[in-house]
């Protein structure tokens, strides 16, 4: 125990000695340097004193004494004060440098409590024992890279560069180099969305690029998926682009016209979009404002000022010129430079085809042509796929080429092995040719049988005038790839008959285009006709004029667009009578009052302009509604001679029943269905058209949806509609745009 005079006992001195030794051990640790705190004591474990343990001056009970001590380990002067608490004399340290009294447990310039680790520590950079390795470190979070985010960032620079230089080939190469082909739908979305907010020039460039990438780099499924992503984000796009709905609708219509989106895409995607979404508005605008307009293809392609690239005919002309110049000069480097500057790597198969034809025409130039193609292949200027495609196209046209070059087939058979042996034509071409030859025999048998069956069908149609029956029979054949052959046979048989059959053939062509024939089927059918026009002229003296009338009538009936005439002419040989026929048809189309004259070119018959037919349908329905006879109304419908257009009768009858609050129109539909005047297909199509127009009808007829639901139930109970027709969503309210 401490005495009253304030001295330490021997036991306390021993404890102090042990504590001092512990301090020395701690001071040698690097961690101790980071916390220069004083060693403190407590009444429980002993007292910390200065190195000179003596009586404080002026000692006595309850007194306070001060000693000045210089600490050897820190070099700082401190004051030690003695305080008497109970039986102990406690010495406290006061930092003379800061002038603050310590509570015996830390503070600036003190050691703190023995083994105290709860305080805040720091590292003194000026300390001689400073070690940078002891600096505190912090774990920094790093975001994991997302491949999709990296892809989206990368394609932005590709698109920006393309908008600047307009190089389709460079953009295609850059996109291929990026890899990640599974993300191509996001490229389409970014390309179109960036173009939508720019000028017409960039919009046209975006459409051209999509057409160039289609098939070779971006698959058809990815094209569709990309446009679906755009439709789903139409609401967001509308926030930044005021006319986003109209612009995106035009992009979709352009994709359909360019044959990179199937026409069925417009119908199918409607079922996946919410009724209140902007995406659905986009589809409706694309279908009603663009794709349903007369001559829509030509109008859509010129909407943004025309193509920024060379037309197909211009490219073909330039290819022919550069090959001729090469044969004259023999400069391979210049020829390769001209091919590269065309910037149409996806069209290099045309270079291959024309070069081979030129080698057949000019036998002395064969070695030069072969060397050009070999060098172009080795330099990577013409890809393997383009080389194979060029040879394949030439092989397909050998029959026609033999008319001008009798030895074309034998020459081709010698060129192929040489090209394969020299390494610039893939050996797979020879294998495919052999397989194609084996399949050709099977195809010939199938084609022969098909022609026999369609001739019978066409002759029955000329006698019965039953378009629905013919369409049904044609669908049962299950050979849509042979639709052009049917068209050729139809018009060939009609040309050798009277005007009535010619008129019926044109009317049937319009119906087939609405129901099952695509525009490509019609175009290819006329190409087949015009390619064989010279043979046809041997049997039909006025064949050229008749074909020109059929072509012009197809344009007037909206089966073909005027632009399709150029497409047909481009697929014909330059020295062909069919080219003159196309030129004659173009003159007929663009002459004064062409529509009226061409609709009556074969004496009228069943041909009516669409607007005329609609007016006649409306008049006969109004007469019937005002007290007419059902039999008379049915006779008028039959006299129209347009059974493929009877869905318009159904639509107008239903709308009139809603407007007039008179269900007498249902009696007319029942009679027409009972006597076979209106088929179940036409009835279903008419109801479907009314269903599609309900959102517009409710503006004039508030209870249109309720009435239509009642009409649907009425029709179903009487068997008017196909089982596939559904009306579950008719009763639900929808938001209009």
């Amino acid at each position: 125990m401490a005495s009253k005079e304030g001295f330490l006992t021997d036991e306390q001195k021993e404890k102090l000695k042990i504590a001092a030794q512990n301090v020395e051990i701690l001071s040698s640790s690097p961690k101790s340097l980071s916390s220069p705190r004083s060693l403190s004591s407590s009444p429980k474990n002993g007292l910390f004193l200065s190195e000179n343990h003596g009586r404080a001056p002026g000692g006595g009970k309850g007194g306070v004494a001060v000693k000045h001590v210089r600490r050897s380990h820190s070099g700082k002067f401190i004051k030690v004060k003695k305080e008497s608490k109970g039986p102990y004399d406690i010495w406290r340290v006061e930092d003379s440098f800061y002038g603050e009294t310590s509570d015996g447990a830390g503070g600036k310039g003190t050691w703190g409590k023995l083994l105290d680790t709860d305080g805040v520590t720091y590292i003194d950079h000026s300390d001689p024992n400073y070690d940078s390795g002891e600096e505190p470190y912090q774990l920094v979070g790093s975001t994991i890279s997302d491949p999709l985010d990296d892809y989206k960032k990368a394609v932005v620079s590709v698109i920006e560069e393309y908008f600047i230089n307009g190089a389709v080939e460079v953009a295609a190469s850059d996109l291929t180099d990026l890899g990640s082909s599974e993300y191509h739908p996001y490229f389409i979305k970014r390309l179109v969305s960036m173009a939508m907010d720019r000028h017409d020039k960039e919009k046209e460039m975006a459409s051209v690029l999509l057409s160039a990438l289609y098939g070779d780099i971006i698959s058809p499924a990815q094209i569709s998926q990309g446009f679906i992503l755009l439709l789903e984000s139409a609401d967001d796009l509308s926030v930044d682009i005021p006319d986003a709905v109209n612009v995106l609708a035009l992009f979709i219509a352009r994709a359909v016209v360019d044959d990179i989106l199937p026409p069925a895409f417009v119908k199918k995607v409607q079922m996946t979009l919410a009724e209140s979404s902007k995406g659905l508005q986009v589809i409706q605008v694309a279908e009603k404002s663009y794709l349903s307009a007369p001559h829509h293809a030509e109008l859509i392609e010129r909407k943004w000022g025309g193509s920024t690239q060379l037309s197909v005919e211009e490219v073909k002309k330039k290819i022919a010129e550069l090959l001729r110049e090469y044969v004259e000069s023999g400069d391979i480097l210049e020829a390769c430079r001209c091919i590269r500057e065309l910037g149409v790597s996806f069209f290099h198969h045309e270079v291959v085809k024309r070069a081979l034809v030129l080698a057949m025409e000019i036998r002395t130039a064969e070695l030069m042509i072969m060397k050009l193609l070999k060098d172009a292949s080795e330099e990577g200027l013409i890809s393997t796929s383009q080389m194979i495609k060029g040879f394949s196209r030439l092989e397909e046209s050998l029959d026609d080429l033999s008319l001008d070059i009798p030895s074309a087939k034998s020459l081709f058979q010698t060129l192929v092995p040489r090209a394969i042996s020299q390494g610039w034509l893939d050996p797979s071409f020879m294998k495919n040719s052999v397989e194609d030859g084996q399949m050709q025999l099977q195809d010939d048998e199938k084609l022969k049988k098909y022609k026999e069956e369609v001739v019978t069908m066409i002759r029955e149609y000329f006698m019965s005038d039953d378009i629905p029956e013919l369409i049904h029979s044609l669908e049962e054949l299950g050979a849509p790839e042979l639709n052009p052959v049917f068209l050729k046979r139809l018009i060939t048989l009609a040309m050798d008959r009277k005007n009535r059959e010619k008129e019926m053939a044109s009317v049937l062509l319009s119906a087939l285009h609405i129901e099952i024939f695509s525009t490509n089927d019609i175009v290819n059918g006329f190409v087949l006709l015009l390619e064989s026009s010279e043979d046809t002229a041997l049997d039909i003296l006025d064949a050229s004029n008749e074909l020109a009338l059929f072509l012009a009538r197809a344009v007037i009936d909206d089966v073909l667009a005027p632009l399709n005439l150029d497409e047909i002419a481009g697929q014909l040989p330059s020295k062909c009578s069919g080219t003159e026929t196309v030129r004659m048809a173009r003159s007929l189309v663009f002459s004064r009052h062409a529509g009226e004259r061409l609709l009556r070119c074969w004496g009228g018959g069943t041909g009516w302009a669409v607007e005329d037919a609609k007016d006649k349908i409306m008049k006969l329905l109004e007469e019937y509604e005002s007290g007419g006879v059902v039999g008379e109304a049915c006779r008028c419908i039959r006299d129209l001679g347009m059974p493929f257009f009877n869905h318009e009768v159904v639509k107008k009858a239903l709308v009139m029943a809603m407007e007039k609050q008179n269900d007498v129109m249902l009696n007319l539909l029942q009679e027409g269905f009972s006597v076979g005047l209106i088929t179940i297909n036409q009835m279903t199509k008419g109801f479907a058209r009314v269903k599609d127009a309900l959102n517009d009808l409710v503006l004039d007829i508030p209870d249109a949806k309720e009435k239509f639901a009642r009409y649907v139930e009425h029709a179903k109970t009487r068997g008017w509609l196909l089982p596939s027709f559904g009306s579950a969503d008719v009763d639900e309210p929808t938001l209009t745009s």
Side-chain angles (χ1 to χ4, degrees), residues 127-312:
D127 193 292
N129 294 321
Y130 167 73
D131 184 359
S132 61
E134 298 177 7
E135 288 280 0
Y137 62 90
Q138 181 180 2
L139 293 177
V140 179
S142 177
T143 305
I144 299 176
S145 178
D146 185 358
L148 179 56
D149 291 339
D150 295 342
Y151 179 86
K152 289 179 178 179
K153 294 175 183 177
V155 297
V156 170
S157 60
V158 174
I159 296 169
E160 291 283 4
E161 184 177 350
Y162 169 67
F163 284 157
I164 294 173
N165 57 35
V168 174
E169 184 177 0
V170 174
S173 176
D174 291 344
L175 187 62
T176 303
D177 292 343
L178 285 179
S180 303
S181 59
E182 67 274 14
Y183 297 140
H184 283 343
Y186 294 95
F187 170 79
I188 297 167
K189 177 183 177 183
R190 185 56 60 92
L191 172 66
V192 174
S193 59
M194 289 176 64
M196 287 172 63
D197 201 22
R198 301 196 179 209
H199 298 297
D200 287 351
K201 174 177 175 286
E202 284 78 10
K203 296 183 180 74
E204 179 67 26
M205 291 175 69
S207 293
V208 170
L209 180 59
L210 287 178
S211 297
L213 299 177
Y214 175 78
D216 292 335
I217 297 178
I218 302 180
S219 67
Q222 290 175 327
I223 294 282
S224 299
Q225 185 60 36
F227 277 100
I228 289 174
L229 292 175
L230 281 164
L231 290 169
E232 291 174 348
S233 62
D235 294 276
D236 297 332
L237 292 172
S238 299
V239 176
D240 301 321
I241 307 171
D243 58 341
V245 171
N246 187 62
V247 176
L248 184 54
L250 189 51
F251 265 109
I252 291 176
R254 175 64 179 270
V256 173
V257 169
D258 289 343
D259 287 331
I260 63 175
L261 274 182
F265 172 84
V266 177
K267 291 290 185 185
K268 291 180 179 179
V269 79
Q270 287 187 26
M271 298 183 290
T272 65
L273 298 171
E275 293 189 359
S276 59
S277 67
K278 294 286 186 182
L280 185 59
Q281 294 182 30
V282 170
I283 290 297
Q284 291 172 346
V285 172
E287 184 177 19
K288 296 179 181 178
S289 300
Y290 294 117
L291 295 175
S292 298
H295 313 312
H296 63 272
E298 186 174 4
L299 295 174
I300 290 171
E301 289 195 341
R302 297 289 178 264
K303 191 70 175 179
W304 291 318
S307 176
T308 60
Q309 308 296 315
L310 294 172
S311 67
V312 174

Side-chain angles (χ1 to χ4, degrees), residues 445-461:
E445 291 295 327
K446 180 180 178 181
L447 180 60
K448 182 179 179 181
K449 183 178 179 181
Y450 179 85
K451 288 180 178 179
E452 292 174 355
E453 292 182 353
V454 297
V455 166
T456 303
M457 292 163 49
I458 294 169
R459 287 172 177 168
E460 290 179 357
Y461 164 68

Side-chain angles (χ1 to χ4, degrees), residues 19 23 82 233 387 432:
V23 168
K82 186 180 76 170
S233 62
M387 192 70 73
N432 294 335

